[in-house]
Amino acid sequence: MSQKVTIATVAAYAQVSRQTVSNVINSPDIVRPETRERVRAAIAALGYRANQAARQMRTGRSRLLAVRIEPAGDGVNGSVADRFLHGLTDAAGAAGYRVMLYTARDDNDEIATYDDLLGAYDLDGFVLTGTGHGDPRTSWLARRDVPFVTFGRPWDTPDLHLWVDVDGADGVAQATRRLLATGHRRIGFIGWPAGSAVGDDRRSGWESTLAEVGLDPHGLARETVDGIAEGEATARELLDLDDPPTALVCVSDSLALGALRADPDPAGSLAVIGFDDTPVAAAMGLTSVSQPLRQAAAGCVDLMVAMLDGPPVPPTPLLLHPSLVLRQTA
């Protein structure tokens, strides 16, 4: 029979005191980051599970967080949500939390789900994804003093609540600079319809980077809903211009994969860069912007834990920077 893993076992493994292990589980914000990570690694390695019932009686908290499962979409960009959820579950588990998943058709349905979940479970808080302008979900939770953090910034009022986000404008700027460095001057952009907060932010990186080198982006941008077929059709529209672009930056990998299919040159002379570095992009050799999703997920958990444990200094939002993964298409 295997030996039961206790706090003392974790403390010995991590070479810290039992109180330090308890602090990492219950009040991680008061522990130095390097010590916190060492203890969390020990918890994961040993498979330690705290007695949730005893801890809930002691702290008055369930250690349960809820997050929505996003629709799968076209099967390409759905992997982004999957990777974030895996990272969130791992980070929550290391901090002594569990994650409850739920579905919702839209924002109003999600708000109705909040009401149902809060009535049925002792949730400690919510992690929201996919923020937009005037997001009704955050105001609903804030009015009821329900703890939450968002993966995505509050676009209208940046200091409205705690959030983690990835700098999409910077990612697209990196992609545009790469194309400029390889000799392209007619660089087009395929984005989502105007009003998409994330899409508009990414487009701004393309516009500002071209402006920095004195290039006029006028007439080289098109908008469409997400999808491979939509990306192909929109790319063909751009390539039919009298002076067509020689390279395209796309707001998603789905649109970029479609743009590749529109290239009239069998040798693939059209340079294309996508966004999200999905597994399909890797398989197709598509250059793409990669988001640090595990780091974003861990940041959401850290902010939530800090908020729930009431630190003397309020935690601050976290803006992460993506990286460009170079492959055959650019």
Side-chain angles (χ1 to χ4, degrees), residues 240-286:
D240 283 342
L241 294 173
D242 291 337
D243 188 9
T246 61
L248 294 173
V249 179
C250 299
V251 76
S252 73
D253 281 350
S254 291
L255 291 172
L257 290 166
L260 286 175
R261 297 192 338 193
D263 188 356
D265 183 359
S269 60
L270 178 69
V272 178
I273 298 181
F275 201 110
D276 280 329
D277 190 31
T278 57
V280 177
M284 296 295 293
L286 174 68

Side-chain angles (χ1 to χ4, degrees), residues 179 186-190 220 231 234-236 238-239 245-250 256 259-260 270-274:
L179 295 170
R186 296 282 293 173
I187 302 172
F189 181 81
I190 300 179
L220 288 175
T234 307
R236 290 190 189 282
L238 283 167
L239 294 174
T246 61
L248 294 173
V249 179
C250 299
L260 286 175
L270 178 69
V272 178
I273 298 181

Side-chain angles (χ1 to χ4, degrees), residues 3 29 63 70 101 104 131 150 177 200 250 261 273 289 310 314 320-321:
Q3 184 178 3
D29 58 288
R63 317 294 289 192
E70 297 293 335
L101 304 179
T131 56
T150 63
R177 286 194 293 269
D200 292 347
C250 299
R261 297 192 338 193
I273 298 181
V289 177
L320 303 172
H321 291 279

Side-chain angles (χ1 to χ4, degrees), residues 61 65 97 124-125 147 303-311:
R61 286 168 35 202
L65 307 176
Y97 283 79
D124 280 347
L303 287 177
M304 178 65 78
V305 171
M307 184 192 339
L308 292 171
D309 289 342

Side-chain angles (χ1 to χ4, degrees), residues 14-261:
Q15 297 183 320
V16 297
S17 68
R18 284 180 292 178
Q19 183 59 52
T20 297
V21 176
S22 178
N23 287 340
V24 169
I25 294 171
N26 296 301
S27 303
D29 58 288
I30 69 174
V31 183
R32 288 186 303 174
E34 59 271 22
T35 303
R36 186 169 64 229
E37 291 310 309
R38 190 165 77 249
V39 172
R40 285 177 174 176
I43 288 172
L46 295 171
Y48 173 70
R49 297 183 63 184
N51 187 318
Q52 295 289 341
R55 184 163 57 191
Q56 184 171 352
M57 291 177 63
R58 184 175 68 253
T59 65
R61 286 168 35 202
S62 65
R63 317 294 289 192
L64 184 62
L65 307 176
V67 62
R68 174 183 174 182
I69 303 175
E70 297 293 335
D74 59 11
V76 177
N77 293 317
S79 65
V80 177
D82 288 345
R83 284 182 285 165
F84 176 78
L85 285 176
H86 276 92
L88 187 76
T89 303
D90 288 345
Y97 283 79
R98 294 166 295 156
V99 174
M100 172 185 287
L101 304 179
Y102 62 90
T103 60
R105 295 183 301 274
D106 52 33
D107 287 350
N108 289 331
D109 189 36
E110 186 165 2
I111 289 171
T113 302
Y114 296 159
D115 210 17
D116 291 342
L117 291 175
L118 290 169
Y121 302 95
D122 292 323
L123 294 173
D124 280 347
F126 290 86
V127 178
L128 277 59
T129 59
T131 56
H133 295 294
D135 198 316
R137 302 170 302 163
T138 57
S139 56
W140 191 95
L141 292 169
R143 284 196 303 270
R144 290 158 179 80
D145 294 322
V146 177
F148 70 93
V149 298
T150 63
F151 177 36
R153 73 198 83 170
W155 296 95
D156 304 307
T157 311
D159 58 352
L160 186 63
H161 57 72
L162 290 176
W163 53 268
V164 176
D165 203 4
V166 176
D167 192 339
D170 175 56
V172 171
Q174 291 180 46
T176 308
R177 286 194 293 269
R178 163 66 181 179
L179 295 170
L180 289 169
T182 52
H184 295 278
R185 290 298 178 268
R186 296 282 293 173
I187 302 172
F189 181 81
I190 300 179
W192 296 319
S196 161
V198 174
D200 292 347
D201 182 55
R202 293 179 185 180
R203 175 172 174 158
S204 71
W206 167 75
E207 291 176 328
S208 63
T209 304
L210 292 182
E212 287 171 4
V213 296
L215 294 177
D216 183 6
H218 180 71
L220 288 175
R222 295 291 186 275
E223 298 172 353
T224 185
V225 296
D226 208 45
I228 294 175
E230 290 79 3
E232 180 178 3
T234 307
R236 290 190 189 282
E237 181 182 338
L238 283 167
L239 294 174
D240 283 342
L241 294 173
D242 291 337
D243 188 9
T246 61
L248 294 173
V249 179
C250 299
V251 76
S252 73
D253 281 350
S254 291
L255 291 172
L257 290 166
L260 286 175
R261 297 192 338 193

